[in-house]
Amino acid sequence: MKLKETLENLEDQVKERTKELLLANNYNRNLIETSLDPLVTIGQDGTITDVNVATEKVTGYRREELIGTDFADYFTNPQDAKDGYQQVFQKGVVKDYPLDIKNKDGSLTPVLYNASVYKDEIGEVIGVFAAARDITEQKKAEKKLMEYWESLEEQVKQRTEELAKSNADLKEFAYIASHDLREPLRMITIFLQLLERRYGDQLDDDAHEFIGFAVDGAKRLDKMIMDLLEYSSVVNQELIFNDTNLEEVLNEVILNLNVVINENNAIITYENLPVMRADENLMILLFQNLISNSIKYRSNKNPEIIVSAFKEGDHHVFHVKDNGIGIDPKQLDHIFTIFKRLHTHNEYEGSGIGLSIVHRIVHQHGGEIWVESEPEKGSTFKFTIKN
Ligand code: ADP
């Protein structure tokens, strides 16, 4: 009686355990099947022991067809798959191992595998559990990005070629300007002068004066062409950035302007000038233009020009201050425009290109330029240069 009772008790316990196991099994199966990632278990010999629905979908084969076959057969590169499988055995785990799954219908799915070994109850490795993450969308995005990148590179290449071409055109234009335009101009001057020499005694005073105006005009046009050439060479010039000592630049400028400085009794002082990254020749050109203007547009006082600098954020700020005639406030914005002049040729010589060269140089150095001025009192040209 006791034995029967014990047996019945045992049977109940077995039933209960079996039910529990079934439930747990069911639960695990459900978990596996609901996973969107293809999951697979592989035995030690490399054959598939279990798969989920996602694996059926991605391979195009049914579970029964897959189980028992070599897992490596379902990849475009079986050897890569086998190497990955070996790595799992050696390291116990692999992360983000890239492979391409081959479907029965020929379509491919790029995936990243994460796999680890699984062991029996005594700790013996009995196979590999592998989960694949479909990266088709990621690959598509990468491809799009690559294509975009390539098209950008192509555009940059095209733009560079266009720019190189327009630069070459400009250089050619400058060449034509210097040779072809100056040549007829020289003829006009020569023949006008010849006319005056040969027939001078037959001409009246007015005619002499008219010839003088015409020669003068031709000479000015020649000067404008030369200045335009200089401007175009500054525009096209490739900048050579070096550590540039601005005090040395100023010394050079003063040396170059020696004659006009002496003729005008000009006094030029400078203070706190930095050493900074800049194109030295262009810096000389810039200060030379500003200082020669300050002397040219002098008042009846002896010219006094002060050059100073200070640092503000990532810029150096420069001031070139003079005690000259000053500028009409209405004209302040226009003076940097090419060929813009505020005076007639008779008042002051010039072609209105100096300040546009200065403007260009400042911009090439990542800066801005402006002027503050009061008529009769003098002007201060202010500009920044990026450090
Ligand atoms: P240019 O001196 O050949 O006329 P710029 O481009 O150098 O050409 O200057 C443009 C105009 O700006 C000048 O015609 C002059 O009227 C004015 N200007 C330039 N610098 C000064 C200055 N320091 N003081 C007064 N006026 C100036």
Side-chain angles (χ1 to χ4, degrees):
M1 182 63 189
K2 224 171 179 179
L3 194 66
K4 199 173 166 230
E5 238 177 53
T6 316
L7 259 175
E8 271 173 9
N9 221 342
L10 215 64
E11 258 175 32
D12 280 352
Q13 271 184 32
V14 169
K15 262 191 206 155
E16 194 56 30
R17 285 295 292 147
T18 313
K19 209 171 128 197
E20 273 174 26
L21 268 172
L22 267 171
L23 253 173
N25 215 2
N26 231 343
Y27 177 77
N28 285 339
R29 192 79 237 160
N30 271 333
L31 260 186
I32 289 167
E33 294 303 348
T34 46
S35 163
L36 294 177
D37 292 338
L39 305 176
V40 58
T41 53
I42 307 161
Q44 259 185 329
D45 59 354
T47 57
I48 296 172
T49 52
D50 196 6
V51 296
N52 67 346
V53 184
T55 310
E56 291 184 317
K57 247 194 219 155
V58 78
T59 58
Y61 293 100
R62 279 178 292 114
R63 191 178 142 83
E64 308 83 80
E65 294 175 296
L66 289 164
I67 289 176
T69 58
D70 189 344
F71 85 98
D73 289 347
Y74 302 95
F75 297 98
T76 52
N77 191 337
Q79 192 51 50
D80 268 3
K82 282 183 183 152
D83 291 347
Y85 183 68
Q86 284 310 320
Q87 274 186 34
V88 189
F89 274 105
Q90 279 157 17
K91 298 183 192 160
V93 53
V94 293
K95 277 191 86 101
D96 294 337
Y97 192 88
L99 286 171
D100 286 318
I101 299 176
K102 192 169 64 174
N103 191 289
K104 200 160 118 184
D105 66 11
S107 60
L108 302 179
T109 309
V111 292
L112 290 179
Y113 260 104
N114 286 299
S116 58
V117 288
Y118 69 93
K119 301 174 179 170
D120 61 12
E121 57 286 354
I122 56 164
E124 198 85 8
V125 173
I126 51 172
V128 164
F129 176 75
R133 167 69 30 108
D134 184 344
I135 53 165
T136 309
E137 289 310 313
Q138 189 181 323
K139 281 256 160 151
K140 266 192 206 157
E142 271 171 19
K143 194 165 163 255
K144 262 211 179 125
L145 209 65
M146 265 319 268
E147 282 168 4
Y148 179 61
W149 220 189
E150 276 162 14
S151 86
L152 259 183
E153 269 179 5
E154 186 52 35
Q155 276 178 38
V156 169
K157 213 175 118 206
Q158 255 180 30
R159 289 290 296 143
T160 315
E161 275 165 16
E162 278 166 26
L163 266 171
K165 168 135 189 5
S166 90
N167 261 356
D169 287 351
L170 255 169
K171 275 191 186 141
E172 196 180 320
F173 162 76
Y175 181 81
I176 290 169
S178 68
H179 291 85
D180 296 8
L181 287 181
R182 292 186 74 205
E183 188 48 41
L185 209 53
R186 210 165 22 238
M187 266 178 62
I188 294 172
T189 319
I190 287 170
F191 280 99
L192 278 172
Q193 286 167 340
L194 201 65
L195 198 69
E196 189 165 43
R197 266 211 306 279
R198 285 243 187 113
Y199 306 99
D201 44 5
Q202 298 167 39
L203 301 172
D204 64 8
D205 285 351
D206 275 357
H208 280 294
E209 201 182 11
F210 296 160
I211 289 176
F213 288 153
V215 171
D216 197 35
K219 280 185 181 158
R220 261 161 50 205
L221 192 53
D222 192 54
K223 171 90 173 74
M224 277 168 92
I225 291 170
M226 291 308 288
D227 286 351
L228 195 60
L229 259 178
E230 190 184 350
Y231 179 76
S232 101
S233 87
V234 170
V235 169
N236 287 314
Q237 196 164 313
E238 221 169 278
L239 271 72
I240 304 164
F241 277 93
N242 278 317
D243 284 337
T244 303
N245 185 332
L246 270 287
E247 297 211 343
E248 283 170 17
V249 165
L250 256 281
N251 283 334
E252 179 81 24
V253 171
I254 291 169
L255 208 66
N256 294 346
L257 297 177
N258 188 28
V259 176
V260 266
I261 290 174
N262 286 338
E263 277 173 2
N264 288 278
N265 294 319
I267 298 168
I268 298 159
T269 49
Y270 52 79
E271 53 204 28
N272 295 329
L273 299 190
V275 175
M276 61 176 200
R277 298 290 294 170
D279 184 309
E280 187 174 358
N281 285 331
L282 291 184
M283 282 299 119
I284 292 173
L285 197 58
L286 184 161
F287 280 101
Q288 199 155 307
N289 268 301
L290 288 180
I291 292 173
S292 61
N293 272 351
S294 288
I295 298 173
K296 181 163 47 163
Y297 300 105
R298 59 169 289 180
S299 62
N300 47 16
K301 293 187 220 130
N302 281 345
E304 277 178 24
I305 300 150
I306 303 166
V307 182
S308 58
F310 59 92
K311 190 100 196 278
E312 200 174 73
D314 61 348
H315 283 82
H316 291 281
V317 183
F318 291 88
H319 290 179
V320 179
K321 182 175 162 34
D322 65 41
N323 59 346
I325 57 170
I327 303 165
D328 177 356
K330 287 201 289 289
Q331 302 291 349
L332 290 183
D333 289 339
H334 309 302
I335 56 169
F336 298 101
T337 313
I338 196 161
F339 292 137
K340 179 74 190 175
R341 307 202 64 225
L342 306 182
H343 306 276
T344 64
H345 187 70
N346 292 336
E347 290 173 293
Y348 296 96
E349 279 206 353
S351 53
I353 228 156
L355 284 183
S356 37
I357 289 180
V358 167
H359 185 259
R360 178 77 196 176
I361 295 172
V362 169
H363 275 236
Q364 281 174 321
H365 284 77
E368 289 297 332
I369 183 161
W370 65 102
V371 58
E372 286 164 13
S373 182
E374 236 184 286
E376 317 297 330
K377 295 235 165 91
S379 315
T380 306
F381 283 82
K382 300 184 172 182
F383 61 93
T384 58
I385 299 278
K386 207 157 185 243
N387 194 21

